Amino acid sequence: SISHNQVAGPIPDMSYLRNLVTLSFDNNLFTGTIPAWIGSSSNALSNCNLNNNLLCGPYPSFCTSSLCNCDAQNCLSTTAAAIAATMSNYVSTTRSLNTATTSALNSVTTSVLNTATTTALNSATTTALNSATSSALKSVTTSTLNS
């Protein structure tokens, strides 16, 4: 038994152990599919516990028999948990991107508006100064000519 040891990876090929009667791999981190050698008639295996791992289907037909105590729902709940975690990461990343994009757009918009406002003010100031200067020169010229 290697139960409750956090062993990870695929279930190793142990088909050469022809006299193996009990296989207790429950409560670990095994991944992948259940190998066909477990249900093979060429071995003496009569009790197999694969519950609470990260195994995923298709589950061989022998897993529903008395030979193999494996939780077919484990695959579904593990897959659902993985999907939920992926979606949570996606939503979090999307929110971060939305925040960053909004911030960048606000910054660019502010910069463009500041530039446009400055340009408009400079243009209006120049026009007003030119007009005032022109009026003052006309007034001085008219005054000088009249004297």
Side-chain angles (χ1 to χ4, degrees):
S1 172
I2 59 167
S3 298
H4 301 278
N5 281 299
Q6 295 186 342
V7 179
I11 294 175
D13 182 3
M14 298 172 65
S15 59
Y16 59 90
L17 298 174
R18 304 255 186 243
N19 294 324
L20 182 66
V21 175
T22 299
L23 180 68
S24 296
F25 280 3
D26 59 293
N27 296 294
N28 282 293
L29 301 170
F30 285 110
T31 57
T33 58
I34 298 171
W37 67 262
I38 290 177
S40 171
S41 60
S42 64
N43 64 40
L45 194 61
S46 62
N47 184 18
C48 175
N49 188 346
L50 300 173
N51 274 324
N52 298 316
N53 279 289
L54 303 175
L55 299 169
C56 211
Y59 277 73
S61 60
F62 58 81
C63 278
T64 57
S65 70
S66 60
L67 163 67
C68 192
N69 179 18
C70 58
D71 183 5
Q73 293 300 317
N74 186 48
C75 175
L76 296 177
S77 60
T78 300
T79 302
I83 290 170
T86 300
M87 288 306 295
S88 176
N89 288 340
Y90 172 78
V91 168
S92 177
T93 300
T94 301
R95 284 184 183 148
S96 295
L97 287 172
N98 285 342
T99 301
T101 301
T102 301
S103 178
L105 284 174
N106 285 341
S107 178
V108 167
T109 302
T110 301
S111 177
V112 167
L113 285 175
N114 286 342
T115 301
T117 302
T118 301
T119 301
L121 284 174
N122 285 343
S123 177
T125 303
T126 301
T127 301
L129 284 174
N130 286 343
S131 178
T133 303
S134 179
S135 290
L137 283 175
K138 283 181 188 175
S139 177
V140 167
T141 304
T142 302
S143 176
T144 303
L145 288 175
N146 286 339
S147 330

